[in-house]
Amino acid sequence: MGKILLKSVLMQNAGESPARKDVLIDGNVFSKIVDTSTPEMADGTEIIDCKNFALVPAFYNGHTHAAMSLLRGYADDMDLSKWLNEYIWPFEAKLTDRDIEIGSRLAVLEMIKSGTVFFSDMYWHREQTMKVVEEMGIRASIGVTISDVLVSPEGLKANFDFLARHTGESERVKLAVMPHSIYIVSEEYLRRSMEMAEKENYPLHIHLSETEKEIRDCLEQHGCTPVEYLQRLGCLNSRVQAAHCVHFSEKDMEIFAQSGASAILNPNSNLKLSSGIPSIVKMMDRRIPLGLGTDGDSSNNNLDMHEEMKLAALLAKVQGGADVLPASEALKMASVNVAQVNGINAGIIAEGKLADGILVRLDNERMVPCFDLVGNWVYSADSRAIDSVLCNGRFVMRGGHVDGEEDIVREAGECALRLAENK
Amino acid sequence: MGKILLKSVLMQNAGESPARKDVLIDGNVFSKIVDTSTPEMADGTEIIDCKNFALVPAFYNGHTHAAMSLLRGYADDMDLSKWLNEYIWPFEAKLTDRDIEIGSRLAVLEMIKSGTVFFSDMYWHREQTMKVVEEMGIRASIGVTISDVLVSPEGLKANFDFLARHTGESERVKLAVMPHSIYIVSEEYLRRSMEMAEKENYPLHIHLSETEKEIRDCLEQHGCTPVEYLQRLGCLNSRVQAAHCVHFSEKDMEIFAQSGASAILNPNSNLKLSSGIPSIVKMMDRRIPLGLGTDGDSSNNNLDMHEEMKLAALLAKVQGGADVLPASEALKMASVNVAQVNGINAGIIAEGKLADGILVRLDNERMVPCFDLVGNWVYSADSRAIDSVLCNGRFVMRGGHVDGEEDIVREAGECALRLAENK
């Protein structure tokens, strides 16, 4: 892989001042970041004039269901239980390996177009999604989904074998143990999930305290909240990534904070499905590690981390004051925080870090005037300001274009239509 | 002006099913909408192949301060009073006619790029903004801002004279009486504003019940809420457009609903400045006419009506349930509702209506699959899906490009820098 020099780019990390730099990418890392006085190089380095671009951290999507892109708009504006039982689950039951491949490709395209280079995925037919991620050049933590309600005993055994062998893991694609939730995973399988995560050093990723119903049912069944229940089972520690975390009691927050687990918030989905508004400020006050995710296309209805970032900042402000969760902190929640909990040495533009990033057009009308580059990026821009996206030292989007995107979109449209007609 | 035929476009109004149509634009109206079997025309009509586009209503921005685009990012993440007193007002005091022209041009560009063809503007140096709107081809309701705290007696007299003469009004540019708010306009001038609005048939546009402080101060000073106060003064009727409306009591809502006044909600701004969350569902239940606006670039920090539309829908759902404020209703709040209260015969794609609309790319990855075109547009897309924007029968953006946009962006950047250095 050749070297790339981002010449005279306006580098912007969260919490730092922007600075014009020459950024050299060698292999898959930022190898050198210097003042813009680099002499011309004659060693075959590709030199890109970046006067017109800011280089900002890429997005890391902490929680999604990628292939549900095929269900975008299939069932909107209805409550969660009707949505799942009458629409989503019957549709999903029809999905083949090939459909999942097509849906994953649409999702990865959508993420790249909006600046995301990593996603943590909880879904089915995982090998198709892994293949697509490998091909399209980004990163993922692919969940092996555990549920003894939805998966047969043979399926569960195969899942644990898959994890024990670290099947298909690579530089960019990792696995994670993903017991779906406390309501469709038994005590036994929650414990076995944690044992596997501990033994093989995987993250444990779970839906947690998403709806009031989940809390009510748990209180009825186990006499405690979902957070207390996980703690009681020994399933709450620093390798846990809990998605949603909308309905935490004060005591839940104390327990969660002490455990070192991370909360992955999905504000668009939580509002849209009327699940509730997460207590962002209270969680921040207790120093709970916070990241953001989009949830799936059928509940959001997109995979745009920029929207999550802005909405998280806005909700925090209306909860705690206009000065709470400033732009730079919101950017961290959408980037480095998620990278960190997934063990990815990225999310900051710095020498030695993996070369992931977004080139943002400084002449986009929403990036002007440039009093506050991070503020413009977080509060004003949308994905139209993104020119190019780097992952692992190579361009996965360049000049607004992703290789093969027209085919990906066409195929996904045809596939979804076929599935819908086939009901 | 020649005729334009949008050939085989997927027409989508809020609340209707999408349909492939040939849409003929003659002059400034949609003159004929027929099934896609129109014979080729030889009368010089420009025929545009729209197989790949949906035609959706354009956005109408119900409340903004356009030239504040120059203050984007100048002061973020702080409370309203510090923001106004220490940053915004001192900066604004330096603005010249020329600055306002440059700032208005950036704002109009930003609105066109995100599909907005009308804005209701409350600001200063109004003639510069009027000139820019005329030039750039969109519509506006330009406020003559009334405040006897901020404006001298001579200035106020000039303002009322300006209104009495309908100075500068045209086909696309109208005036409105805009007493700023109950806290910087006296009883006398609130009454005189309403008299002028009644006499000359203007809308009366006012900031109302935006913050808790406004409510507290009003209770202290007048012994009633801002809504009750306006009612008492005879300043609350169907020609009133009240911006924000965040803190309405139950009684306020009753009074407001009976008055026929419209509420123009600005959810992004209200959250970002920590003003509060408007009671969207309660206002809907009382059938208060609701429209959306962006507020200014310095508090939002953009003029993208799409964001307001999605956020309004999401907030309504978390208040009232996932089935509340479906996509088509949210679209109406961002389009036809605002057009209607401003007396513009547009916001719906129909024969005889003014030819305003957005061509949305159906091959944008977020518009696929197409189970629900309105849902995709409202919940999934962002401004990148917009190909072209029509206003009054002509393209103000075409193929993603607005005439002169590079110069507008450059000039605005330079102007803001000059102003900031000049402090």
Side-chain angles (χ1 to χ4, degrees):
Chain A
M1 198 152 47
K3 296 185 201 172
I4 298 172
L5 179 68
L6 306 176
K7 182 91 189 139
S8 198
V9 76
L10 191 59
M11 198 180 94
Q12 174 73 71
N13 281 313
E16 298 174 9
S17 295
R20 286 271 172 205
K21 295 285 180 184
D22 280 4
V23 175
L24 185 69
I25 297 165
D26 191 355
N28 67 347
V29 296
F30 295 115
S31 61
K32 233 176 182 38
I33 298 178
V34 294
D35 290 338
T36 62
S37 53
T38 327
E40 294 298 315
M41 279 176 269
D43 63 350
T45 298
E46 180 185 359
I47 298 170
I48 301 171
D49 175 6
C50 291
K51 274 199 304 290
N52 203 22
F53 300 128
L55 176 63
V56 303
F59 294 125
Y60 299 78
N61 186 347
H63 178 72
T64 190
H65 313 283
M68 290 185 85
S69 63
L70 291 179
L71 287 85
R72 191 202 319 272
Y74 182 63
D76 276 324
D77 303 326
M78 58 186 75
D79 77 47
L80 185 66
S81 121
K82 182 176 176 186
W83 177 77
L84 275 175
N85 290 297
E86 296 179 28
Y87 291 85
I88 301 304
W89 285 344
F91 190 108
E92 285 184 334
K94 294 185 290 184
L95 297 176
T96 65
D97 275 3
R98 177 73 184 141
D99 299 330
I100 296 287
E101 182 184 333
I102 291 171
S104 297
R105 210 168 266 135
L106 179 65
V108 172
L109 173 65
E110 195 190 330
M111 287 191 266
I112 291 174
K113 287 279 215 175
S114 50
T116 293
V117 299
F118 164 87
F119 62 105
S120 180
D121 199 52
M122 185 191 284
Y123 210 54
W124 313 105
H125 306 253
R126 58 192 167 252
E127 283 163 288
Q128 312 310 313
T129 305
M130 293 169 85
K131 179 180 129 183
V132 167
V133 174
E134 292 287 0
E135 280 174 16
M136 294 185 72
I138 68 168
R139 308 178 190 282
S141 170
I142 300 290
V144 175
T145 307
I146 309 294
S147 161
D148 37 356
V149 171
L150 300 180
V151 183
S152 68
E154 300 73 39
L156 286 168
K157 184 177 177 316
N159 281 353
F160 282 101
D161 288 349
F162 197 90
L163 285 161
R165 288 194 306 269
H166 289 260
T167 315
E169 286 199 317
S170 71
E171 187 187 4
R172 287 185 280 102
V173 178
K174 306 292 178 193
L175 296 179
V177 189
M178 300 207 183
H180 180 278
S181 58
I182 61 151
Y183 52 92
I184 54 169
V185 187
S186 67
E187 192 177 314
E188 180 193 348
Y189 274 92
L190 286 169
R191 286 191 208 270
R192 288 183 61 176
S193 295
M194 181 50 85
E195 279 161 24
M196 173 58 76
E198 294 281 3
K199 179 158 176 255
E200 299 292 336
N201 194 26
Y202 284 126
L204 185 142
H205 190 113
I206 188 168
H207 291 116
L208 187 65
S209 303
E210 180 176 3
T211 63
E212 282 176 347
K213 181 175 188 314
E214 179 181 341
I215 310 293
R216 270 199 316 273
D217 291 352
C218 187
L219 285 168
E220 208 166 284
Q221 212 177 332
H222 305 292
C224 62
T225 66
V227 169
E228 291 165 344
Y229 178 61
L230 281 187
Q231 187 199 28
R232 185 197 293 171
L233 300 186
C235 292
L236 197 65
N237 59 35
S238 64
R239 68 175 65 251
V240 170
Q241 304 171 3
H244 298 296
C245 307
V246 179
H247 298 282
F248 274 11
S249 68
E250 298 286 332
K251 189 174 162 208
D252 284 347
M253 279 190 259
E254 288 304 329
I255 293 169
F256 200 89
Q258 280 168 27
S259 76
S262 302
I264 305 295
L265 310 179
N266 306 264
N268 271 281
S269 166
N270 299 149
L271 269 64
K272 182 156 183 295
L273 298 176
S274 199
S275 305
I277 301 180
S279 302
I280 305 177
V281 175
K282 288 186 175 180
M283 288 197 261
M284 286 168 59
D285 289 347
R286 287 177 173 80
R287 303 192 180 284
I288 292 173
L290 295 179
L292 296 172
T294 59
D295 212 359
D297 262 332
S298 59
S299 50
N300 185 328
N301 294 351
N302 62 40
L303 305 177
D304 189 341
M305 285 292 291
H306 193 283
E307 285 191 9
E308 303 302 328
M309 174 171 69
K310 180 167 179 178
L311 184 55
L314 265 51
L315 292 173
K317 288 170 198 306
V318 84
Q319 288 172 353
D323 52 348
V324 169
L325 196 54
S328 59
E329 290 304 311
L331 177 53
K332 285 182 190 169
M333 284 173 59
S335 56
V336 64
N337 291 13
V338 176
Q340 263 172 1
V341 300
N342 285 284
I344 303 166
N345 184 29
I348 297 169
I349 318 289
E351 289 182 3
K353 294 280 175 187
L354 291 166
D356 297 355
I358 302 173
L359 289 177
V360 177
R361 296 190 66 99
L362 291 168
D363 63 354
N364 179 283
E365 74 284 352
R366 294 202 204 168
M367 295 297 293
V368 173
C370 198
F371 292 125
D372 178 354
L373 179 52
V374 172
N376 283 355
W377 173 232
V378 172
Y379 298 130
S380 173
D382 70 1
S383 76
R384 196 161 40 78
I386 300 177
D387 183 85
S388 298
V389 180
L390 279 159
C391 180
N392 212 43
R394 62 174 279 268
F395 283 104
V396 288
M397 175 165 101
R398 189 140 181 196
H401 192 260
V402 176
D403 282 348
E405 63 176 290
E406 297 78 7
D407 291 341
I408 293 170
V409 167
R410 187 183 38 73
E411 248 189 333
E414 289 168 3
C415 173
L417 208 64
R418 201 171 57 236
L419 285 163
E421 281 169 357
N422 211 4
K423 68 184 163 193
Chain B
M1 198 153 47
K3 296 184 201 173
I4 298 172
L5 179 67
L6 306 176
K7 182 90 190 142
S8 197
V9 77
L10 192 58
M11 197 180 96
Q12 174 73 72
N13 282 311
E16 297 175 10
S17 295
R20 286 273 171 203
K21 295 286 181 184
D22 280 4
V23 175
L24 186 68
I25 296 165
D26 191 355
N28 66 347
V29 296
F30 295 115
S31 61
K32 231 174 185 42
I33 298 178
V34 293
D35 290 337
T36 61
S37 53
T38 328
E40 294 296 316
M41 280 177 268
D43 61 351
T45 298
E46 180 186 359
I47 299 171
I48 301 171
D49 176 5
C50 292
K51 272 198 304 294
N52 203 22
F53 299 127
L55 176 63
V56 303
F59 294 125
Y60 299 77
N61 186 348
H63 177 73
T64 191
H65 314 282
M68 289 185 87
S69 63
L70 291 179
L71 287 84
R72 190 201 322 271
Y74 182 63
D76 275 326
D77 303 326
M78 58 185 77
D79 77 46
L80 186 66
S81 121
K82 181 176 177 187
W83 177 76
L84 275 175
N85 290 296
E86 296 179 29
Y87 291 86
I88 301 304
W89 285 344
F91 190 108
E92 284 184 334
K94 294 184 291 184
L95 297 175
T96 65
D97 274 3
R98 177 72 183 143
D99 299 331
I100 296 286
E101 183 184 333
I102 290 171
S104 297
R105 210 169 265 134
L106 179 65
V108 172
L109 173 64
E110 195 191 331
M111 287 192 266
I112 291 174
K113 287 278 213 174
S114 49
T116 293
V117 300
F118 165 86
F119 62 105
S120 180
D121 199 52
M122 185 193 284
Y123 211 54
W124 313 105
H125 305 255
R126 58 193 166 252
E127 283 163 288
Q128 311 310 314
T129 306
M130 294 169 83
K131 178 180 131 182
V132 168
V133 175
E134 291 287 0
E135 279 173 17
M136 293 185 72
I138 68 167
R139 310 178 190 281
S141 170
I142 300 290
V144 175
T145 307
I146 308 294
S147 162
D148 36 359
V149 171
L150 300 180
V151 184
S152 67
E154 301 73 38
L156 286 168
K157 184 177 178 314
N159 282 353
F160 282 101
D161 288 350
F162 197 90
L163 286 161
R165 287 194 306 269
H166 289 260
T167 315
E169 286 198 317
S170 70
E171 187 187 2
R172 287 185 281 104
V173 179
K174 306 292 178 192
L175 296 178
V177 189
M178 298 208 185
H180 180 278
S181 58
I182 62 150
Y183 51 91
I184 53 169
V185 187
S186 67
E187 191 177 317
E188 180 193 347
Y189 274 93
L190 285 169
R191 286 190 207 271
R192 287 182 61 176
S193 295
M194 181 51 85
E195 281 163 20
M196 174 57 76
E198 294 280 3
K199 180 157 177 256
E200 298 293 335
N201 194 27
Y202 284 127
L204 186 142
H205 190 113
I206 187 168
H207 292 116
L208 187 65
S209 303
E210 181 176 2
T211 63
E212 283 177 348
K213 180 176 188 316
E214 179 181 341
I215 310 293
R216 272 198 315 273
D217 291 351
C218 188
L219 285 168
E220 208 167 284
Q221 211 178 335
H222 305 293
C224 62
T225 67
V227 169
E228 291 166 346
Y229 178 62
L230 280 187
Q231 186 199 32
R232 184 197 294 171
L233 300 187
C235 291
L236 197 65
N237 59 35
S238 64
R239 68 176 62 250
V240 171
Q241 304 170 3
H244 297 297
C245 307
V246 178
H247 298 282
F248 274 11
S249 68
E250 298 285 331
K251 190 174 163 206
D252 283 346
M253 280 191 259
E254 288 304 328
I255 293 169
F256 201 89
Q258 279 168 29
S259 76
S262 302
I264 306 294
L265 310 179
N266 306 263
N268 271 282
S269 166
N270 299 149
L271 269 64
K272 183 156 183 295
L273 299 176
S274 198
S275 305
I277 301 180
S279 302
I280 304 177
V281 176
K282 288 186 176 179
M283 288 196 261
M284 285 168 60
D285 288 347
R286 286 177 174 80
R287 303 192 180 285
I288 291 172
L290 295 179
L292 295 172
T294 58
D295 211 358
D297 263 331
S298 59
S299 50
N300 184 330
N301 293 351
N302 63 41
L303 306 177
D304 188 342
M305 285 292 290
H306 193 284
E307 285 191 9
E308 302 302 327
M309 174 172 71
K310 181 168 179 179
L311 183 55
L314 264 52
L315 292 172
K317 287 171 199 306
V318 83
Q319 288 172 353
D323 53 347
V324 169
L325 195 54
S328 59
E329 291 304 310
L331 177 54
K332 284 183 191 168
M333 282 173 60
S335 56
V336 63
N337 291 14
V338 175
Q340 263 172 0
V341 300
N342 284 283
I344 303 166
N345 185 30
I348 298 169
I349 319 290
E351 288 182 3
K353 294 280 175 186
L354 291 166
D356 298 355
I358 302 174
L359 290 177
V360 177
R361 295 191 66 98
L362 292 168
D363 62 355
N364 179 283
E365 75 284 353
R366 293 203 205 168
M367 297 297 293
V368 174
C370 199
F371 292 124
D372 178 355
L373 179 52
V374 172
N376 284 355
W377 173 232
V378 172
Y379 298 130
S380 174
D382 70 359
S383 75
R384 195 162 40 78
I386 301 176
D387 183 87
S388 299
V389 179
L390 279 158
C391 180
N392 212 43
R394 62 173 280 266
F395 284 103
V396 288
M397 174 163 103
R398 188 142 182 195
H401 192 260
V402 176
D403 281 348
E405 61 176 293
E406 296 80 7
D407 291 340
I408 293 170
V409 167
R410 187 182 38 72
E411 248 189 334
E414 290 166 4
C415 173
L417 208 64
R418 201 171 56 236
L419 284 163
E421 282 169 354
N422 210 6
K423 67 186 165 190

